[in-house]
Amino acid sequence: FLEEFIMKIKHFIVFLVCLLLFSACSKAEEYPTVSRESKLPVDITKRTPDSDMTPPIMNSNEFETPVPLPYPVNTSGGEDSPFILPDGNTLYFFFTPDVRIPHNEQLTDNVTGIWVTYKSADGWTEPARVWLQDAGKLALDGAPFVAGNEMWFASAREGYDGMNIFIAERKDGVWGDWQYVGGDIS
């Protein structure tokens, strides 16, 4: 009787260990859902061409005067490095809520990085964060270039020194399979 009881205990322990391992493996870490607006400081406003004390001087007829995009793309934060696809309807850009914040603090705010928005009949859609690092790992991504289903981007991230170049691939509408391409560009 004792041997049978010990065998049942062993089977139960194996079952518990398997259950714990399965639940740990199946529980994928999720990306945070933080809105850009929630991180915008209340003490700054966006500079527009109307309020620019030193507007750009156009020295060529090949360029037109820049026109800021309306909200929800432009906010009081820092939108930079815009890249519009040849379709004219997809815009990638870098965003940080407060350009006065040091980079090491931007790294953990969950909103600084690459964003994408799409042009519709009603204007530009609410921008969405483009995650180019595993959930829970730190990365400061920017300067995107997209061609087809491939994105080249700059990134300061865990495991690398300085700013480096990476490539990501889009599959089923999601960017993933990011790969290191080149060394420190800082």
Side-chain angles (χ1 to χ4, degrees):
F1 173 77
L2 186 57
E3 287 180 8
E4 186 178 325
F5 179 73
I6 291 173
M7 185 62 75
K8 286 183 180 184
I9 294 286
K10 286 181 180 180
H11 284 109
F12 182 72
I13 291 172
V14 169
F15 170 75
L16 284 178
V17 168
C18 289
L19 185 63
L20 288 172
L21 287 173
F22 176 76
S23 65
C25 292
S26 65
K27 187 178 179 183
E29 193 168 345
E30 295 183 16
Y31 295 111
T33 54
V34 180
S35 74
R36 293 187 312 147
E37 287 79 8
S38 72
K39 297 290 186 165
L40 293 171
V42 296
D43 65 329
I44 60 172
T45 57
K46 179 70 84 180
R47 182 181 298 164
T48 65
D50 297 336
S51 64
D52 193 345
M53 301 287 285
T54 55
I57 299 170
M58 305 307 270
N59 292 315
S60 170
N61 292 336
E62 294 183 29
F63 296 95
E64 296 179 18
T65 303
V67 177
L69 289 176
Y71 179 86
V73 177
N74 256 323
T75 66
S76 61
E79 292 85 15
D80 200 359
S81 304
F83 184 84
I84 194 159
L85 297 187
D87 67 9
N89 298 317
T90 308
L91 173 70
Y92 288 88
F93 62 93
F94 172 82
F95 170 79
T96 190
D98 190 343
V99 297
R100 303 170 297 182
I101 301 295
H103 296 106
N104 61 328
E105 292 178 34
Q106 292 176 4
L107 185 62
T108 58
D109 68 13
N110 294 319
V111 295
T112 295
I114 298 173
W115 291 73
V116 64
T117 181
Y118 303 95
K119 192 175 188 180
S120 70
D122 299 327
W124 292 93
T125 62
E126 181 69 34
R129 176 76 189 268
V130 178
W131 293 99
L132 297 165
Q133 174 64 296
D134 295 326
K137 290 189 175 181
L138 296 176
L140 192 57
D141 303 324
F145 168 82
V146 178
N149 287 325
E150 185 175 81
M151 177 190 293
W152 288 64
F153 61 98
S155 184
R157 57 181 50 208
E158 287 184 39
Y160 298 87
D161 290 330
M163 185 67 68
N164 296 278
I165 300 292
F166 289 81
I167 295 177
E169 184 179 358
R170 185 175 48 216
K171 292 180 184 173
D172 300 322
V174 177
W175 290 103
D177 194 26
W178 35 85
Q179 302 291 324
Y180 171 76
V181 174
D184 186 0
I185 60 170
S186 52

